[in-house]
Every structure is written in structure tokens, then in C-alpha cells.
Amino acid sequence: MKVLVTGSAGFIGGHVVEALEAAGHEIVRLDVREGADVRDAAALDELLPGVEAVVHQAAKVGLGVDVSDLPDYASVNVYGTAALLAAMARHAVERLVLASSMVVYGEGAYACPEHGAVRPGPRAAADLDRGRFDPVCPRCGAEVRCAVIGEDAPPDPRNAYATSKLAQEHLAANWARETGGTAVALRYHNVYGPRMPRDTPYAGVAAIFRSELEAGRAPQVFEDGGQLRDFVHVRDVARANLAALLAPPPPGTLAACNIASGSPHTVGQMAQALAGERGGPLPRVTGAYRLGDVRHIVASPAKAATELGFRAEIAFAAGMKEFAWS
């Protein structure tokens, strides 16, 4: 299959290209680092003839620095996706795999002893200042237990990046309905692994911790380190893209799938694992916080297994051992 990969020179995109090429697919590359912008209609019209599917990885990522990032997130992620989909329609490309994110959920799923399944709203700055990091039941204020979130949970984006990723899903769904194309939105959880970007305000927490350890500094763990996340290796994510390419949903629809290991760990445990592999220094829990962060988000990988035939293969310990030195 001839496949256009946007963001082909990026962290995840580069691994996706390698996985698709290893499976025998012909790759057309588009990346702003190589002079081609997903917002450029002329560049898209030059690259898309003969392409049978698009794997869309190009995006501005990360939580962002402040509201000054809003125009870039809207331009690159939202307008860029719209421009790509319009070009795909012009060239009758019928298959899309979209890199989405677990950030579209906002806070994860929880269970209240009295009210059952609940979805807490954003945490209050006053509570975070007091070190009260865990959300409470929005109905009675009781303590709640973290639960697994599935793809049918209502979206609740909490920052510009999350809002832009949800907008990408909506645009892809519009495109699928209007053209009869097929689209799969892969909701990545916390991706880590070789070639992960480092030393930028938009780097992931795993890369930030590793950079601190390389410099001989203790990783600075926000809140109390108890935030639950699902850390999924980038080579597993690349395999998920290949699986989605080969198992499209029915024409005219978009299917969303969590891409996760199914084995959550806390941010503190991840920092401890990296520090242990590199011989320290040990992480330091700071109590600091970012208002746009969520507390816990634990995913069910069942839909990806059932509909795509994808299951993560790289265990947390083995992945962190490799990543600590990659």
C-alpha cells in the first residue's frame, strides 16, 4: 500500500515509518523539518496522487506554555488537519489513521461509593495549593476510586492541546461521513521510548526526567507522585498504527481506540524506575502542580485488541530499562 505519513521525521512518526516499511508498504513522507507543511495545499497536491492511505502524526504536542500557544495549536493541529482532509478528498484517498490522544478525556473515570461512576470536573487551584490532589465526587464531595476509562466516555478537554486533538477527531469524522472514507483515531496514552524529544517546554515527563538524570540532577516530581498514567512504548504505538491501517472500520465512520499497555504506573514509579536504571539521584517530590494537568487516567485497551488486533508487547520494566540509556 502507498501511504502518506505526516510528521514522518518526528518521534512517533519516525517509528511509524519504520514499522510500515518493515511490513512492505511504500511510504511518502511529509514533515515540516524537511520543508513540507501539512497546511500547504500545494505540497499536499504534489504528494497525494496515488496515495491509498494517510497516517496523520503531524501535530504541535505537549501541554503548552501559556495562552500564547493557542494560535499555534489551532493552526497546526486544527487547520492543518482540515487542509489535509480537504486534500485527501480531492485525491480520493479513502483511508485515514489519526494520531489522537488520551487528553481528550480530561480527568479519568472514577467510582463514588454512593453515586457509582462519576467524572469529576477540573481541580480547584485552592485544593491543589493545600496539597489536595485527588478529585472528589462532584455530587457529594466524597473520596472516589480511580476506574478504567473506555472510548465511550464523554470528552472533556482541559487545555489547548486537548481541545485541538478533539477537534481533529471531529473533523476526521466529518470527512469520513461526507466522503465514505474510513478513519481510526488512536488515542495514545503516555508514549515514551528511543528518540523522544528532550529539553523543550513541550517534552513529555519521561524525557524531562531522563534529561535531569543525565545532568546529575534529581527528577522533580510534581504533586505527590501518585498520578496514575499508562506508559506505552513507541514501538508498540507504531505497531498500533500498522494494525489500524490494516483493519479499517466500516466506510463513512470514525472509530476511536485507546492505545495503552493496560498496566498503569504512577509518575513517581516511572521516575524511580529511571533513576534506578541510571544509578540516581533519587527523585524529589515537589508538591508543585500545573493547573491543566489531570490526576489519574487509566485506559482500557480492550477495544484496540478486539477491533484492531493490537496488544502492547513491551513491559514497563523492560521499556524503562532501554529508555533510561537511549
Side-chain angles (χ1 to χ4, degrees), residues 27-274:
I27 305 302
V28 178
R29 293 168 170 80
L30 184 153
D31 197 286
V32 70
R33 301 167 187 83
E34 298 173 351
D37 194 309
V38 73
R39 295 167 290 186
D40 185 338
L44 292 168
D45 285 336
E46 182 178 337
L47 294 172
L48 280 170
V51 165
E52 300 166 78
V54 171
V55 177
H56 184 29
Q57 305 291 321
K60 180 180 177 69
V61 300
L63 182 62
V65 176
D66 53 38
V67 292
S68 66
D69 280 324
L70 288 172
D72 275 351
Y73 280 113
S75 178
V76 176
N77 296 358
V78 183
Y79 177 76
T81 299
L84 174 64
L85 294 170
M88 290 172 63
R90 288 196 299 274
H91 294 275
V93 181
E94 298 180 348
R95 191 172 296 186
L96 171 70
V97 178
L98 169 68
S100 187
S101 172
M102 56 90 173
V103 296
V104 302
Y105 296 120
E107 194 67 63
Y110 293 84
C112 170
E114 181 176 352
H115 296 108
V118 294
R119 294 289 299 282
R123 297 177 294 172
D127 287 337
L128 296 170
D129 287 338
R130 291 195 296 268
R132 184 176 183 176
F133 300 120
D134 284 302
V136 297
C137 176
R139 297 179 62 184
C140 68
E143 292 184 2
V144 291
R145 176 176 52 82
C146 181
V148 171
I149 197 162
E151 291 84 353
D152 58 350
D156 184 19
R158 301 286 176 88
N159 55 61
Y161 174 60
T163 300
S164 72
K165 297 308 285 185
L166 183 58
Q168 287 183 320
E169 290 194 16
H170 288 318
L171 289 168
N174 296 157
W175 165 84
R177 282 194 299 271
E178 294 185 24
T179 66
T182 66
V184 181
L186 302 180
R187 292 176 177 170
Y188 301 160
H189 285 252
N190 286 65
V191 185
Y192 73 98
R195 308 199 297 268
M196 191 175 187
R198 62 178 71 201
D199 303 327
T200 82
Y202 307 96
V205 66
I208 293 170
F209 288 168
R210 185 182 60 181
S211 292
E212 290 176 332
L213 288 163
E214 287 174 346
R217 299 189 297 266
Q220 306 295 295
V221 180
F222 280 13
E223 302 186 17
D224 60 1
Q227 311 93 300
L228 274 171
R229 298 291 188 270
D230 190 306
F231 299 97
V232 58
H233 196 280
V234 68
R235 288 197 297 273
D236 279 331
V237 170
R239 289 179 45 252
N241 278 268
L242 176 60
L245 193 65
L246 300 179
T253 62
L254 177 141
C257 291
N258 286 320
I259 301 303
S261 71
S263 178
H265 291 78
T266 68
V267 172
Q269 286 171 333
M270 188 263 287
Q272 290 280 359
L274 291 175

